[in-house]
Amino acid sequence: MVAPTRINFIHPDDRQGYLAEREKGLLAGNSYEYELRILRRDGTYRWFLGRGNPLKDEQGRITRWYNTATDIEDRKRAEEEIRKENIALREELSKTSMFEEVIGTSSALQMILARAAKVAPTDSTVLIAGETGTGKELIARAIHKRSKRGERSFVGVNCAAIPSSLIMSELFGHEKGAFTGAVQRRLGRFELAEGGTLFLDEVGDLPLETQIALLRVLQEREFERVGGTEMLRCDVRVIAATNRDLHCAIAAGSFRSDLFYRLNVFPIELPPLRERKEDIPILVNYFVNRYAQRAGKKIDTIRKKSIEALQEYSWPGNVRELQNVIERSLIIVDTNEFSVDKNWLSHEFQSSRLVGRASTISTEQEQIEAALAQTKGKVSGRKGAAAILGIPASTLESKIRTLRINKHLYKGA
């Protein structure tokens, strides 16, 4: 048996593996080795490579065991860095961005790019606001690539797409046994982004508990894994994005004002596509070439009337909606001339499904407010305001922002 005092110096996660390798070697009478963390006098753990070697007499009987320990902390740190980079790279390769380059020559877009270029070399936190589909992640990636962290990881997380019960684990990681289903330690996005950039998309949807933890990271540059007690330091630049009006969220009590000011060090407001219509012909050419090549089709010309129709439309879904319309058009086109069916652009807003009040409500804003009152501020989902109005939830969110409607006022209606 190993003396209790000796086993207590070994990290709890490494004890079982160490004892198993040791017992296997002792029973077989062969040399064995193992990697483990040993507690130092300063209270920190350090990685060592332990080896057990038997000393045998002339008859081959073991007379004594010799144990050595070689410090491998630097090697383990290097391996961990490589592992983090590989995880981030796999996530990066598994995703396809909206488009590879920032497309457009409008003054509104050029102003945004100029601001992004100025803040990129710094380590300042950036808050990117804009309607859905305006390319917030694209700008965040551009800032990262131009920064001194450009060679390190860019790790993104959509705060609205992760259940509130799991968002803490997603951001900060968890220890084995921290909750049901946590069968092993898991690194969070902050650890994966070490030395690089963490992009928090839809940051306005973070639960209040997570907002407190995020505020601590921004202030102290340290955090704990879920279920852990070890304080971890981090060197990560944070870029956040939202399509919500955070001032309204603060007034409604769903977003912390101190976190807002920590995030809003350098604000960037992305213009919607309807405010940069001169970029539409360039974007159309880009997407037509892109999707025609994928579909194995050759497009020689683009109808002028189609371009005009696209420029007249208000694009509630912005560049992402334009991208979808062009891809859809290329699927059905049978000639070398690209054209768009105007019927696809005529259903920007449908109000006929507003239950019980369609005939008495005259304006778009009143229709939206009535739907929000009916659903107590709920936008998406089967029983949300978007379903009542018969439009996509992203379109309704865009209109709520444009009309400056505070949907949080209806939660207690």
Side-chain angles (χ1 to χ4, degrees):
M1 293 289 292
V2 179
T5 53
R6 181 182 300 176
I7 196 68
N8 287 340
F9 285 101
I10 298 175
H11 194 286
D13 290 348
D14 302 333
R15 291 173 188 172
Q16 187 175 354
Y18 159 71
L19 292 173
E21 289 297 324
R22 182 177 181 276
E23 183 177 3
K24 190 188 303 182
L26 293 176
L27 291 175
N30 297 325
S31 300
Y32 60 93
E33 64 178 36
Y34 44 87
E35 294 180 356
L36 75 170
R37 285 161 288 183
I38 298 177
L39 185 66
R40 303 199 310 175
R41 290 183 179 179
D42 61 2
T44 63
Y45 284 97
R46 196 169 180 88
W47 279 101
F48 286 87
L49 174 64
R51 289 190 177 93
N53 297 298
L55 178 65
K56 299 180 180 181
D57 59 19
E58 295 178 354
Q59 285 74 37
R61 293 173 298 192
I62 298 175
T63 59
R64 182 175 296 180
W65 282 88
Y66 287 95
N67 293 283
T68 61
T70 305
D71 190 314
I72 58 170
E73 178 70 19
D74 291 341
R75 195 200 81 193
K76 294 293 288 186
R77 285 187 178 182
E79 289 176 353
E80 182 68 8
E81 286 297 320
I82 293 173
R83 190 171 76 87
K84 290 179 182 179
E85 292 284 350
N86 286 340
I87 293 174
L89 181 60
R90 284 197 297 270
E91 290 188 354
E92 189 76 11
L93 292 175
S94 66
K95 296 165 60 181
T96 55
S97 60
M98 187 168 63
F99 46 88
E100 292 79 18
E101 300 175 351
V102 180
I103 306 296
T105 58
S106 64
S107 58
L109 180 61
Q110 294 306 310
M111 189 180 299
I112 293 300
L113 295 180
R115 287 179 60 82
K118 284 185 177 294
V119 75
T122 73
D123 259 348
S124 298
T125 304
V126 180
L127 179 60
I128 305 173
E131 297 177 9
T132 182
T134 51
K136 295 184 287 292
E137 182 173 351
L138 188 68
I139 296 299
R141 289 178 183 275
I143 292 173
H144 169 71
K145 288 180 180 178
R146 291 197 175 201
S147 73
K148 60 186 178 182
R149 301 172 181 266
E151 299 299 321
R152 305 303 295 271
S153 301
F154 177 92
V155 177
V157 57
N158 189 318
C159 302
I162 301 171
S164 57
S165 59
L166 298 177
I167 188 66
M168 288 283 283
S169 170
E170 188 70 26
L171 292 178
F172 308 115
H174 63 249
E175 297 289 352
K176 179 180 179 181
F179 50 84
T180 303
V183 296
Q184 62 183 10
R185 171 185 288 175
R186 183 180 186 277
L187 299 182
R189 298 302 177 104
F190 269 96
E191 288 180 87
L192 293 176
E194 179 66 21
T197 301
L198 179 63
F199 175 59
L200 300 176
D201 197 9
E202 306 302 347
V203 71
D205 290 280
L206 282 176
L208 285 172
E209 180 185 2
T210 310
Q211 291 179 32
I212 297 172
L214 177 58
L215 179 63
R216 179 181 181 181
V217 177
L218 294 175
Q219 290 177 333
E220 310 295 339
R221 298 291 176 182
E222 60 183 23
F223 63 93
E224 297 175 359
R225 298 191 189 100
V226 176
T229 57
E230 182 182 2
M231 193 63 65
L232 303 174
R233 300 287 299 175
C234 69
D235 174 26
V236 175
R237 181 188 195 172
V238 173
I239 300 178
T242 182
N243 63 5
R244 293 180 57 185
D245 188 332
L246 293 185
H247 292 288
C248 290
I250 292 171
S254 61
F255 200 83
R256 295 178 62 95
S257 59
D258 47 4
L259 176 59
F260 170 77
Y261 292 117
R262 281 285 178 179
L263 294 172
N264 200 43
V265 175
F266 193 91
I268 293 179
E269 180 86 23
L270 296 188
L273 187 56
R274 60 183 171 274
E275 294 179 8
R276 41 180 286 233
K277 291 189 175 183
E278 60 267 43
D279 288 335
I280 289 179
I282 302 174
L283 287 165
V284 171
N285 275 279
Y286 175 81
F287 286 130
V288 166
N289 291 332
R290 177 180 179 180
Y291 290 113
Q293 187 175 8
R294 288 188 183 180
K297 297 182 178 181
K298 184 178 180 181
I299 302 297
D300 296 327
T301 58
I302 299 175
R303 281 188 182 179
K304 186 178 179 180
K305 288 185 177 180
S306 292
I307 293 290
E308 292 173 351
L310 295 175
Q311 287 184 304
E312 290 173 0
Y313 184 53
S314 61
W315 297 109
N318 293 291
V319 179
R320 187 178 296 118
E321 185 182 3
L322 172 64
Q323 179 183 0
N324 293 340
V325 167
I326 293 174
E327 184 176 6
R328 188 189 314 155
S329 300
L330 280 167
I331 291 174
I332 65 172
V333 71
D334 294 322
T335 67
N336 291 346
E337 184 180 49
F338 175 79
S339 61
V340 173
D341 187 343
K342 288 186 178 181
N343 291 328
W344 292 345
L345 309 178
S346 62
H347 303 292
E348 175 189 354
F349 191 81
Q350 300 175 7
S351 58
S352 60
R353 294 177 61 190
L354 183 56
V355 179
R357 300 193 61 190
S359 59
T360 60
I361 300 176
S362 58
T363 69
E364 182 177 272
Q365 181 168 343
E366 289 174 334
Q367 291 170 6
I368 294 174
E369 290 174 343
L372 289 172
Q374 183 174 330
T375 62
K376 295 185 177 181
K378 184 178 181 181
V379 174
S380 58
R382 188 168 57 88
K383 297 182 179 180
I388 291 176
L389 295 169
I391 60 175
S394 59
T395 301
L396 181 55
E397 288 281 9
S398 172
K399 288 184 173 294
I400 288 172
R401 182 179 176 83
T402 301
L403 297 171
R404 299 186 180 279
I405 297 172
N406 185 0
K407 63 184 178 182
H408 303 288
L409 295 177
Y410 297 91
K411 287 189 175 180

